[in-house]
Amino acid sequence: MSLIESALDLRTFLDELRRRGDLIDVNCEVETRLELAAITRRVYEQRLSAPLFNHLKEGLPGARVLGAPAGMLRDPAKEYARLALHFGLPEHTRPAELIMTIRAAMMATPVPPVRVAKGAVQENIWSGDDIDLTRLPVPLLHEKDGGRYIGTYGFHVVQSPDGRWDSWSIGRLMLVNGKKLTGPVIPTQHIGMIRAMWAKEGKPTPWAFVLGGPPAAVAVAGMPLPDFVSEPGYIGALLGQPLEVITAQNGTLQVPANAEIVIEGELSINDTAQEGPMGEYHGYQHNKGKMQPVFHVKAVMFRNNPILPVCVAGLPPEENHTIWGTMISAQVLDALQNAGLPVDMAWCSYEAATCWTVVSVDVAKLADEDGDARTFANRVAEVYFRSHAGYLVPKLILVGNDIDITRIEEVVWALATRAHPQHDFIAYPQIPGFPMVPYLTSEDISRGKGGNMIINCLFPEQFAGKMRATTASFAHSYPESLKTRILERWREYGFIDQ
Ligand SMILES: Cc1cc2nc3c(=O)[nH]c(=O)nc-3n(C[C@H](O)[C@H](O)[C@H](O)COP(=O)(O)O)c2cc1C
Ligand SMILES: [Mn+2]
């Protein structure tokens, strides 16, 4: 079977992981309160196979939870395999191939979804008094979380009042009770923008939330595509075929036909509830929650033995880094290249918890640029921080393309040896930035700016097409003929490893 089938359907995705030995069927009884989350946390941190919890102590009999859906693998040759399978890409896929695939679909013609009459998600339908989300296996993810989170790897579905813009976006959702949810609706995110359009008409936002949708759809729902670009059409372009959708119970919104669970209702205009705190993507657990908008649930659909996918946010690498970070990287590369800047790769190092992006500068083209490092950094800042994707990640590191920016040890080396303390750390306190960044002060958060900076790791000589020094290493310091001979004789010297 083609790997694309895994990108289109969660159960096919899980079968493929199982075939590869990258899925553990956890058949013993596990608690939804902390136990499944602690296991999943350890899985991320040790880079183990994804756990599918088949037997949960609480909740609907037969309901299951999937942990670490896009966690990293321990084998360095297949580190990105689970992430790559979200796009139907093979086990050995490297970051550059991921980014190029995601980028190429941005330049392709959108392929809108096709509506089908019936979908597996309609196997069970709750409405009215039947609705009780507490019957699903909703986990408590960290001991100090303010509630149980049903949405950590699911996406919101909303549409602009004129019907022209469909927005699918990942956002977290906490249970308030069996019929009420709450979660952040940040005004600069697309769900916040569309909610404002409905509020202007005096109406709550018709809303659905998809859990266990096609893996490619989930990944794209975590991607900051530009304003007014509909995610479903982009997903079709990415996969080379349309998604199958059904019309939700409310009669207007369209949701993937093969989703595991769909919750639908309204995102209120004025109702709020206490949300959080929750252990978050930057690796910290704050000790206070916040008032956030309420989502009122009007219907729930789910497959038999539904699977609830879960991201247990915290220290990298989890999906806020592997999915969000990767999708942001592709989007940032697109924005910078479209602006004519000489860059050839962008990468949100997972280790930096989606708080920095590294940008690889094509030094052969840099010599054609006018001005010095400061002028160049200012140009990059204007494009990057003002883009929907760059806005989310407050630090940008500029390095020459002799560095492989997907290798953290090379980035650290460049940071330590190339950035001058007096002129290469350039703060942009006036450019708006994402409020969730952990080092922001309360004044920064209320002003909506203050945390952005560029770190320039380009040597002044690189702006004149030269390099200050060559690299001292096996790759750079010896004649090719000698290196070849040494590698041929490696075992003869007594080394057993390659
Ligand atoms: C696992 C995961 C969890 C996320 N949680 C949130 C969240 O709670 N709130 C939020 O604003 N963005 C969250 N994001 C990021 C958004 O999904 C992302 O910025 C996306 O671009 C938003 O869609 P939009 O660009 O259409 O607004 C999360 C991403 C991932 C991968
Ligand atoms: Mn969007």
Side-chain angles (χ1 to χ4, degrees), residues 17 30 48 73 79 97 112 145 166 170 173 179 205 213 226 233 291 303-304 342 345 399 405 410 431 439 442:
L17 291 186
V30 170
L48 306 176
L73 277 68
E79 283 183 288
E97 294 152 309
D145 283 0
D166 289 298
I170 300 186
L173 265 186
K179 291 185 167 60
T205 310
M291 296 307 281
R303 293 179 69 158
N304 295 334
M345 178 66 178
V399 297
I405 61 171
E410 294 193 32
I431 304 188
Y439 54 76
S442 46

mmCIF file of all heavy atoms in Angstrom, residues 17 30 48 73 79 97 112 145 166 170 173 179 205 213 226 233 291 303-304 342 345 399 405 410 431 439 442:
data_model
loop_
_atom_site.group_PDB
_atom_site.id
_atom_site.type_symbol
_atom_site.label_atom_id
_atom_site.label_comp_id
_atom_site.label_asym_id
_atom_site.label_seq_id
_atom_site.Cartn_x
_atom_site.Cartn_y
_atom_site.Cartn_z
ATOM 1 N N LEU A 17 2.671 1.986 11.502
ATOM 2 C CA LEU A 17 3.600 2.088 12.634
ATOM 3 C C LEU A 17 3.780 0.708 13.291
ATOM 4 O O LEU A 17 4.893 0.308 13.629
ATOM 5 C CB LEU A 17 3.092 3.077 13.690
ATOM 6 C CG LEU A 17 3.067 4.558 13.339
ATOM 7 C CD1 LEU A 17 2.664 5.380 14.573
ATOM 8 C CD2 LEU A 17 4.418 5.054 12.824
ATOM 9 N N VAL A 30 -4.792 1.047 32.199
ATOM 10 C CA VAL A 30 -4.036 2.275 32.491
ATOM 11 C C VAL A 30 -5.031 3.372 32.872
ATOM 12 O O VAL A 30 -6.137 3.436 32.332
ATOM 13 C CB VAL A 30 -3.207 2.689 31.245
ATOM 14 C CG1 VAL A 30 -2.598 4.070 31.410
ATOM 15 C CG2 VAL A 30 -2.103 1.666 30.973
ATOM 16 N N LEU A 48 10.886 6.569 22.366
ATOM 17 C CA LEU A 48 10.398 5.203 22.209
ATOM 18 C C LEU A 48 9.201 5.164 21.255
ATOM 19 O O LEU A 48 8.729 6.204 20.797
ATOM 20 C CB LEU A 48 10.007 4.652 23.588
ATOM 21 C CG LEU A 48 11.109 4.750 24.665
ATOM 22 C CD1 LEU A 48 10.592 4.269 26.008
ATOM 23 C CD2 LEU A 48 12.349 3.959 24.251
ATOM 24 N N LEU A 73 12.076 9.250 16.929
ATOM 25 C CA LEU A 73 12.589 7.887 17.115
ATOM 26 C C LEU A 73 14.043 7.930 17.567
ATOM 27 O O LEU A 73 14.758 8.898 17.288
ATOM 28 C CB LEU A 73 12.499 7.102 15.801
ATOM 29 C CG LEU A 73 11.133 6.471 15.504
ATOM 30 C CD1 LEU A 73 10.084 7.542 15.231
ATOM 31 C CD2 LEU A 73 11.240 5.543 14.308
ATOM 32 N N GLU A 79 15.019 9.088 12.731
ATOM 33 C CA GLU A 79 14.511 9.994 13.773
ATOM 34 C C GLU A 79 13.154 10.595 13.451
ATOM 35 O O GLU A 79 12.316 10.804 14.309
ATOM 36 C CB GLU A 79 15.451 11.207 13.896
ATOM 37 C CG GLU A 79 16.720 10.995 14.611
ATOM 38 C CD GLU A 79 17.454 12.321 14.680
ATOM 39 O OE1 GLU A 79 17.968 12.779 13.624
ATOM 40 O OE2 GLU A 79 17.512 12.899 15.780
ATOM 41 N N GLU A 97 13.942 17.323 3.157
ATOM 42 C CA GLU A 97 12.900 16.747 2.288
ATOM 43 C C GLU A 97 11.506 17.079 2.818
ATOM 44 O O GLU A 97 10.577 17.357 2.044
ATOM 45 C CB GLU A 97 13.053 15.219 2.212
ATOM 46 C CG GLU A 97 14.326 14.782 1.523
ATOM 47 C CD GLU A 97 14.815 13.424 2.008
ATOM 48 O OE1 GLU A 97 14.940 13.206 3.231
ATOM 49 O OE2 GLU A 97 15.075 12.578 1.176
ATOM 50 N N PRO A 112 -9.625 21.310 -3.231
ATOM 51 C CA PRO A 112 -10.648 21.316 -2.175
ATOM 52 C C PRO A 112 -11.163 19.912 -1.870
ATOM 53 O O PRO A 112 -11.116 19.034 -2.734
ATOM 54 C CB PRO A 112 -11.764 22.185 -2.761
ATOM 55 C CG PRO A 112 -11.240 22.769 -4.011
ATOM 56 C CD PRO A 112 -10.069 21.961 -4.458
ATOM 57 N N ASP A 145 -1.998 20.614 36.212
ATOM 58 C CA ASP A 145 -2.919 21.179 35.216
ATOM 59 C C ASP A 145 -4.244 21.547 35.882
ATOM 60 O O ASP A 145 -4.684 20.876 36.822
ATOM 61 C CB ASP A 145 -3.192 20.165 34.086
ATOM 62 C CG ASP A 145 -2.036 20.082 33.091
ATOM 63 O OD1 ASP A 145 -1.034 20.796 33.276
ATOM 64 O OD2 ASP A 145 -2.139 19.290 32.134
ATOM 65 N N ASP A 166 -12.179 28.733 5.100
ATOM 66 C CA ASP A 166 -12.271 27.628 6.049
ATOM 67 C C ASP A 166 -10.988 27.584 6.849
ATOM 68 O O ASP A 166 -9.903 27.536 6.273
ATOM 69 C CB ASP A 166 -12.398 26.295 5.308
ATOM 70 C CG ASP A 166 -13.763 26.164 4.663
ATOM 71 O OD1 ASP A 166 -14.751 26.165 5.405
ATOM 72 O OD2 ASP A 166 -13.822 26.078 3.415
ATOM 73 N N ILE A 170 -5.052 23.654 15.055
ATOM 74 C CA ILE A 170 -4.863 22.988 16.355
ATOM 75 C C ILE A 170 -4.896 24.044 17.453
ATOM 76 O O ILE A 170 -4.280 25.101 17.332
ATOM 77 C CB ILE A 170 -3.504 22.251 16.428
ATOM 78 C CG1 ILE A 170 -3.410 21.182 15.330
ATOM 79 C CG2 ILE A 170 -3.307 21.610 17.805
ATOM 80 C CD1 ILE A 170 -2.170 20.308 15.415
ATOM 81 N N LEU A 173 -7.915 22.347 24.225
ATOM 82 C CA LEU A 173 -9.281 22.448 24.747
ATOM 83 C C LEU A 173 -9.410 21.665 26.037
ATOM 84 O O LEU A 173 -9.093 20.471 26.079
ATOM 85 C CB LEU A 173 -10.256 21.844 23.742
ATOM 86 C CG LEU A 173 -10.944 22.754 22.747
ATOM 87 C CD1 LEU A 173 -11.964 21.954 21.966
ATOM 88 C CD2 LEU A 173 -11.624 23.942 23.432
ATOM 89 N N LYS A 179 -20.600 19.173 28.764
ATOM 90 C CA LYS A 179 -21.154 19.868 27.587
ATOM 91 C C LYS A 179 -20.456 21.186 27.293
ATOM 92 O O LYS A 179 -20.924 21.983 26.476
ATOM 93 C CB LYS A 179 -22.646 20.154 27.816
ATOM 94 C CG LYS A 179 -23.536 18.929 27.832
ATOM 95 C CD LYS A 179 -25.001 19.354 27.945
ATOM 96 C CE LYS A 179 -25.979 18.242 27.662
ATOM 97 N NZ LYS A 179 -25.881 17.076 28.532
ATOM 98 N N THR A 205 -19.745 31.786 17.043
ATOM 99 C CA THR A 205 -19.126 31.155 15.870
ATOM 100 C C THR A 205 -19.533 29.682 15.778
ATOM 101 O O THR A 205 -19.249 28.920 16.694
ATOM 102 C CB THR A 205 -17.587 31.246 15.985
ATOM 103 O OG1 THR A 205 -17.245 32.588 16.283
ATOM 104 C CG2 THR A 205 -16.893 30.795 14.721
ATOM 105 N N GLY A 213 -8.317 12.942 13.077
ATOM 106 C CA GLY A 213 -8.510 13.177 11.641
ATOM 107 C C GLY A 213 -7.317 12.619 10.861
ATOM 108 O O GLY A 213 -6.365 12.083 11.455
ATOM 109 N N PRO A 226 -0.828 31.592 5.489
ATOM 110 C CA PRO A 226 -1.217 33.013 5.562
ATOM 111 C C PRO A 226 -2.727 33.205 5.779
ATOM 112 O O PRO A 226 -3.515 32.298 5.519
ATOM 113 C CB PRO A 226 -0.798 33.569 4.198
ATOM 114 C CG PRO A 226 0.233 32.622 3.693
ATOM 115 C CD PRO A 226 -0.142 31.274 4.224
ATOM 116 N N GLY A 233 -7.995 22.928 1.410
ATOM 117 C CA GLY A 233 -7.532 22.945 0.019
ATOM 118 C C GLY A 233 -6.030 22.733 -0.076
ATOM 119 O O GLY A 233 -5.529 22.056 -0.981
ATOM 120 N N MET A 291 -8.951 33.273 32.306
ATOM 121 C CA MET A 291 -10.310 33.161 31.779
ATOM 122 C C MET A 291 -10.208 33.086 30.247
ATOM 123 O O MET A 291 -9.502 33.894 29.641
ATOM 124 C CB MET A 291 -11.148 34.370 32.201
ATOM 125 C CG MET A 291 -11.358 34.497 33.708
ATOM 126 S SD MET A 291 -12.021 33.014 34.493
ATOM 127 C CE MET A 291 -13.743 33.171 34.049
ATOM 128 N N ARG A 303 -16.433 7.224 15.987
ATOM 129 C CA ARG A 303 -16.353 5.870 15.436
ATOM 130 C C ARG A 303 -16.485 4.863 16.575
ATOM 131 O O ARG A 303 -16.247 5.191 17.734
ATOM 132 C CB ARG A 303 -14.997 5.665 14.750
ATOM 133 C CG ARG A 303 -14.835 6.504 13.521
ATOM 134 C CD ARG A 303 -13.479 6.295 12.886
ATOM 135 N NE ARG A 303 -13.359 4.955 12.298
ATOM 136 C CZ ARG A 303 -12.495 4.636 11.347
ATOM 137 N NH1 ARG A 303 -11.653 5.555 10.873
ATOM 138 N NH2 ARG A 303 -12.432 3.413 10.859
ATOM 139 N N ASN A 304 -16.786 3.637 16.229
ATOM 140 C CA ASN A 304 -16.739 2.584 17.233
ATOM 141 C C ASN A 304 -15.305 2.467 17.748
ATOM 142 O O ASN A 304 -14.353 2.605 16.986
ATOM 143 C CB ASN A 304 -17.167 1.251 16.619
ATOM 144 C CG ASN A 304 -18.628 1.288 16.184
ATOM 145 O OD1 ASN A 304 -19.423 2.060 16.736
ATOM 146 N ND2 ASN A 304 -18.973 0.482 15.187
ATOM 147 N N PRO A 342 18.103 36.092 0.212
ATOM 148 C CA PRO A 342 18.942 34.954 -0.195
ATOM 149 C C PRO A 342 19.043 33.881 0.896
ATOM 150 O O PRO A 342 20.093 33.737 1.534
ATOM 151 C CB PRO A 342 20.303 35.612 -0.459
ATOM 152 C CG PRO A 342 20.333 36.787 0.480
ATOM 153 C CD PRO A 342 18.911 37.264 0.613
ATOM 154 N N MET A 345 17.170 27.682 3.621
ATOM 155 C CA MET A 345 16.536 26.724 4.526
ATOM 156 C C MET A 345 16.188 27.459 5.816
ATOM 157 O O MET A 345 16.844 28.452 6.173
ATOM 158 C CB MET A 345 17.518 25.566 4.800
ATOM 159 C CG MET A 345 17.059 24.489 5.759
ATOM 160 S SD MET A 345 15.644 23.511 5.141
ATOM 161 C CE MET A 345 15.460 22.342 6.487
ATOM 162 N N VAL A 399 22.580 32.300 9.931
ATOM 163 C CA VAL A 399 23.897 31.670 9.755
ATOM 164 C C VAL A 399 24.167 31.412 8.280
ATOM 165 O O VAL A 399 23.230 31.255 7.489
ATOM 166 C CB VAL A 399 24.027 30.325 10.510
ATOM 167 C CG1 VAL A 399 23.897 30.503 12.000
ATOM 168 C CG2 VAL A 399 23.051 29.297 10.010
ATOM 169 N N ILE A 405 21.783 23.642 9.420
ATOM 170 C CA ILE A 405 20.986 24.200 10.525
ATOM 171 C C ILE A 405 20.072 23.173 11.183
ATOM 172 O O ILE A 405 19.490 23.453 12.228
ATOM 173 C CB ILE A 405 20.159 25.435 10.089
ATOM 174 C CG1 ILE A 405 19.168 25.085 8.983
ATOM 175 C CG2 ILE A 405 21.078 26.579 9.680
ATOM 176 C CD1 ILE A 405 18.191 26.219 8.692
ATOM 177 N N GLU A 410 25.950 22.020 15.234
ATOM 178 C CA GLU A 410 26.520 23.007 14.305
ATOM 179 C C GLU A 410 25.981 24.405 14.597
ATOM 180 O O GLU A 410 26.702 25.402 14.510
ATOM 181 C CB GLU A 410 26.241 22.609 12.842
ATOM 182 C CG GLU A 410 26.949 21.321 12.440
ATOM 183 C CD GLU A 410 26.951 21.085 10.928
ATOM 184 O OE1 GLU A 410 26.991 22.067 10.159
ATOM 185 O OE2 GLU A 410 26.930 19.909 10.523
ATOM 186 N N ILE A 431 8.424 45.484 17.424
ATOM 187 C CA ILE A 431 7.656 44.641 16.489
ATOM 188 C C ILE A 431 6.808 43.646 17.293
ATOM 189 O O ILE A 431 7.322 42.961 18.166
ATOM 190 C CB ILE A 431 8.593 43.899 15.503
ATOM 191 C CG1 ILE A 431 9.473 44.904 14.745
ATOM 192 C CG2 ILE A 431 7.767 43.055 14.528
ATOM 193 C CD1 ILE A 431 10.293 44.296 13.615
ATOM 194 N N TYR A 439 9.755 34.178 28.521
ATOM 195 C CA TYR A 439 10.572 35.202 29.188
ATOM 196 C C TYR A 439 9.952 36.599 29.126
ATOM 197 O O TYR A 439 10.533 37.557 29.642
ATOM 198 C CB TYR A 439 11.997 35.242 28.614
ATOM 199 C CG TYR A 439 12.084 35.414 27.113
ATOM 200 C CD1 TYR A 439 11.857 36.654 26.513
ATOM 201 C CD2 TYR A 439 12.400 34.335 26.297
ATOM 202 C CE1 TYR A 439 11.931 36.809 25.142
ATOM 203 C CE2 TYR A 439 12.473 34.476 24.923
ATOM 204 C CZ TYR A 439 12.245 35.713 24.347
ATOM 205 O OH TYR A 439 12.316 35.866 22.994
ATOM 206 N N SER A 442 5.189 41.105 32.181
ATOM 207 C CA SER A 442 3.748 41.375 32.059
ATOM 208 C C SER A 442 3.506 42.625 31.214
ATOM 209 O O SER A 442 2.503 42.711 30.497
ATOM 210 C CB SER A 442 3.077 41.473 33.427
ATOM 211 O OG SER A 442 3.845 42.276 34.264
#
